[in-house]
Amino acid sequence: MKVLVIGGGAREHALCRSLSLDPDVTALHCAPGNAGIAEVAELHQVDALDGAAVAGLARALEADLVVVGPEAPLVAGVADAVRAAGIPCFGPSQEAAQLEGSKAFAKDVMAAAGVPTARSYVCTTPDEIDEALDAFGAPYVVKDDGLAAGKGVVVTGDVEQARAHALSCERVVIEEYLDGPEVSLFAITDGTTVLPLTPAQDFKRAYDDDEGPNTGGMGAYSPLPWAEPKLVDEVMDTVLQPTVDELRRRGTPFSGLLYAGLALTGRGVRVIEFNARFGDPETQVVLARLRTPLARVLLNAANGTLDSEPPLTWRDEAAVTVVVASENYPASPRTGDPVTGLDAVAEHDAPHAYVLHAGTRRDGEHVVSAGGRVLSVTATGKDLAQARQRAYAAVDRIGLKGSHHRTDIARRAAGE
């Protein structure tokens, strides 16, 4: 099988790493990729938002499967263009991707499907914003209705900060605050059959102890030793399957990766948000634990034959990923600095720990930073404590001027 992956972050590096280890994959391509992905896949330049260009590249490569990683190409309709060219594509249609592209659309789908979520108001005027903020009170949860690269949500006790964020959005969703721990659960679906993956937890705030601004995610771990064993079955029954069924009923079937961001509240499971693609950095830990070869599962989802797929199998290991971010991330990240220590990790920490590249590029002989989240250092172990120790030992070998990372990823879950 020849596979083309679209994207260039750590999520795509994790996907490419898993696909490169799959014996069914005979050729692996990525566009545009990054310095790390180049070690496992052949890179190509393409405008990832241009469906015709992506479809043309897939045709030229004679790809048997295209996997679209990021949300923006999906919302732009890239998967539709690839399918129109007669090539199987893992990723939802432009219409179905509105589940992530519009918070208001997602709320409408959840209401129709009976999916439990926070009460909310969709606001477009200053008066509506003030009424919604007054109705819910602090802490305030304010979400940009459109795509915002994981940084469109403000949760604050400061009403002026909440109002300012709301006024900066063309359309905004203001909703009640959901208490309780958060969980990310991915599911692969062909629009009818839903195949859940293993739950993970990510860390959105920039600094230890959940301080600082929201980011795209500073680390993750899996499994969740504190979660109820029946959690996946419950979310399948109350969230994932009803959502897939409702989208199919509307004539916009969702095929690809459905990501449910959940809050385990005192009143039960509630959906915080949906995403239409693999989450970053949770993908890094989920795929580290997946034993089932990935390519066939994604192809069956793309072809509508997921009902022939047996349940996924998992390694009896824990996984932790720690994001190394550039100076000033998430505000105005510094780029262009050399990254050192990558060879040392490969020499001393493999195979239990490895580096997945996010915002990197090659500059001559050197790998340099090219984004806010630069690396995802990922490790496995017999339990979370060992995976944590291995991940941070590898992080300590990395050098990047002004970089920062959280030191508390999975600490509480590991019992430390």
Side-chain angles (χ1 to χ4, degrees):
M1 192 190 306
K2 297 177 184 175
V3 182
L4 169 62
V5 176
I6 301 300
R11 163 188 46 223
E12 287 77 35
H13 193 175
L15 287 163
C16 285
R17 180 181 183 274
S18 290
L19 290 166
S20 73
L21 298 172
D22 187 332
D24 286 344
V25 176
T26 53
L28 182 59
H29 303 270
C30 187
N34 61 40
I37 295 174
E39 296 177 12
V40 295
E42 183 179 342
L43 301 192
H44 306 269
Q45 285 304 311
V46 75
D47 179 353
L49 299 178
D50 185 336
V54 172
L57 175 61
R59 198 183 293 111
L61 295 173
E62 299 182 331
D64 300 300
L65 173 67
V66 175
V67 179
V68 181
E71 59 272 25
L74 294 168
V75 173
V78 166
D80 303 86
V82 173
R83 279 192 280 268
I87 301 166
C89 185
F90 183 81
S93 67
Q94 183 174 33
E95 285 187 281
Q98 285 302 305
L99 203 60
E100 177 169 3
S102 168
K103 302 288 191 298
F105 176 81
K107 288 289 187 183
D108 185 62
V109 170
M110 284 188 270
V115 170
T117 187
R119 293 180 299 119
S120 64
Y121 295 103
V122 179
C123 307
T124 55
T125 69
D127 285 347
E128 289 173 349
I129 288 167
D130 288 339
E131 285 179 27
L133 293 173
D134 289 343
F136 287 128
Y140 304 98
V141 181
V142 183
K143 300 180 175 182
D144 191 331
D145 180 54
L147 292 181
K151 297 185 282 290
V153 179
V154 166
V155 180
T156 179
D158 182 340
V159 68
E160 291 307 322
Q161 184 185 359
R163 182 180 285 112
H165 181 61
L167 290 171
S168 73
C169 304
E170 193 171 319
R171 187 160 77 149
V172 67
V173 174
I174 297 174
E175 64 184 39
E176 68 175 327
Y177 176 75
L178 297 175
D179 64 333
E182 295 185 12
V183 173
S184 301
L185 184 61
F186 303 165
I188 293 171
T189 178
D190 60 3
T192 302
T193 300
V194 181
L195 206 59
L197 280 69
T198 189
Q201 185 173 61
D202 78 331
F203 294 73
K204 286 290 185 206
R205 299 283 185 172
Y207 309 122
D208 284 5
D209 301 317
D210 291 329
E211 298 288 335
N214 261 351
T215 72
M218 294 298 292
Y221 70 93
S222 178
L224 313 181
W226 46 267
E228 292 279 349
K230 63 179 188 191
L231 175 64
V232 173
D233 290 341
E234 180 184 348
V235 176
M236 272 288 292
D237 292 344
T238 63
V239 175
L240 297 170
Q241 193 70 58
T243 300
V244 169
D245 291 346
E246 171 61 20
L247 286 165
R248 187 176 67 252
R249 186 192 68 76
R250 292 177 177 220
T252 56
F254 187 104
S255 167
L257 194 290
L258 178 58
Y259 165 146
L262 309 165
L264 309 188
T265 76
R267 295 171 292 138
V269 174
R270 297 287 185 273
V271 175
I272 301 169
E273 64 175 357
F274 283 123
N275 290 328
R277 38 71 193 179
F278 281 100
D280 185 345
E282 300 98 321
T283 301
Q284 289 85 303
V285 292
V286 171
L287 293 186
R289 299 186 59 226
L290 180 65
R291 188 187 297 277
T292 302
L294 186 62
R296 185 192 69 236
V297 183
L298 301 185
L299 184 63
N300 279 332
N303 284 334
T305 53
L306 202 58
D307 58 347
S308 67
E309 190 66 39
L312 300 175
T313 59
W314 301 92
R315 294 184 178 89
D316 189 22
E317 289 183 309
V320 171
T321 195
V322 179
V323 171
V324 177
S326 60
E327 186 176 350
N328 294 329
Y329 177 78
S332 51
R334 173 187 169 106
T335 61
D337 291 309
V339 179
T340 62
L342 298 173
D343 290 341
V345 174
E347 181 181 349
H348 297 288
D349 302 295
H352 303 298
Y354 48 89
V355 178
L356 297 170
H357 292 232
T360 68
R361 62 180 174 83
R362 189 160 283 284
D363 183 7
E365 294 296 303
H366 303 286
V367 171
V368 300
S369 59
R373 292 186 296 174
V374 180
L375 305 170
S376 284
V377 181
T378 304
T380 56
K382 67 178 188 296
D383 54 25
L384 285 173
Q386 186 179 54
R388 233 179 86 77
Q389 182 273 322
R390 287 171 168 172
Y392 280 106
V395 167
D396 287 343
R397 301 189 199 278
I398 303 295
L400 173 62
K401 183 178 179 181
S403 67
H404 64 97
H405 63 272
R406 285 184 58 158
T407 66
D408 61 347
I409 305 300
R411 183 173 63 198
R412 187 179 303 169
E416 297 178 16

